[in-house]
Amino acid sequence: MDKVTETDLFSRFLPHHGFQIRFCNPRAGYEKGNVENKVGTHRRNLFVPVPTYHDIEEYNRKLLDLHVGKASENHYKKGIVIADLFVEDQKQ
């Protein structure tokens, strides 16, 4: 049986950012592909080509505005507003 061991840094990272984790089964990459795909989509859409900016705070506000706009869209599969799904996730 495989044993999961968290590093000390990762263990401290979790409560600092309010994350809870659930490890996938070993050799079962299909269990995490949805998240990996979303990370890749955001990377390609927001950071390719590498952005340039003069004011990091202004750039961060722009990124936040893009995400707020995205959150007002319907989820591709569930047909429910993404922001509403996020509120439900927070309750869990």
Side-chain angles (χ1 to χ4, degrees), residues 11-23:
S11 295
R12 291 182 291 157
F13 172 83
L14 295 172
H16 178 77
H17 291 285
F19 291 129
Q20 292 180 343
I21 56 172
R22 181 181 54 119
F23 290 103

Side-chain angles (χ1 to χ4, degrees), residues 44-68:
R44 288 185 300 276
N45 291 332
L46 297 175
F47 303 111
V48 174
V50 175
T52 57
Y53 52 84
H54 299 294
D55 181 348
I56 186 70
E57 292 190 17
E58 179 182 332
Y59 179 70
N60 283 337
R61 281 191 295 274
K62 179 182 171 185
L63 287 177
L64 182 59
D65 289 343
L66 289 171
H67 285 288
V68 168

Side-chain angles (χ1 to χ4, degrees), residues 4-90:
V4 174
T5 305
E6 293 177 11
T7 64
D8 180 56
L9 182 61
F10 186 65
S11 295
R12 291 182 291 157
F13 172 83
L14 295 172
H16 178 77
H17 291 285
F19 291 129
Q20 292 180 343
I21 56 172
R22 181 181 54 119
F23 290 103
C24 296
N25 293 314
R27 295 167 293 285
Y30 58 87
E31 293 181 351
K32 63 178 183 161
N34 187 33
V35 172
E36 297 294 334
N37 287 337
K38 284 181 175 54
V39 169
T41 297
H42 281 82
R43 182 180 298 130
R44 288 185 300 276
N45 291 332
L46 297 175
F47 303 111
V48 174
V50 175
T52 57
Y53 52 84
H54 299 294
D55 181 348
I56 186 70
E57 292 190 17
E58 179 182 332
Y59 179 70
N60 283 337
R61 281 191 295 274
K62 179 182 171 185
L63 287 177
L64 182 59
D65 289 343
L66 289 171
H67 285 288
V68 168
K70 187 72 174 166
S72 66
E73 297 175 8
N74 281 348
H75 185 271
Y76 75 99
K77 193 173 187 178
K78 297 182 179 185
I80 300 169
V81 175
I82 293 170
D84 294 343
L85 291 170
F86 181 65
V87 169
E88 288 300 314
D89 280 348
Q90 287 178 312

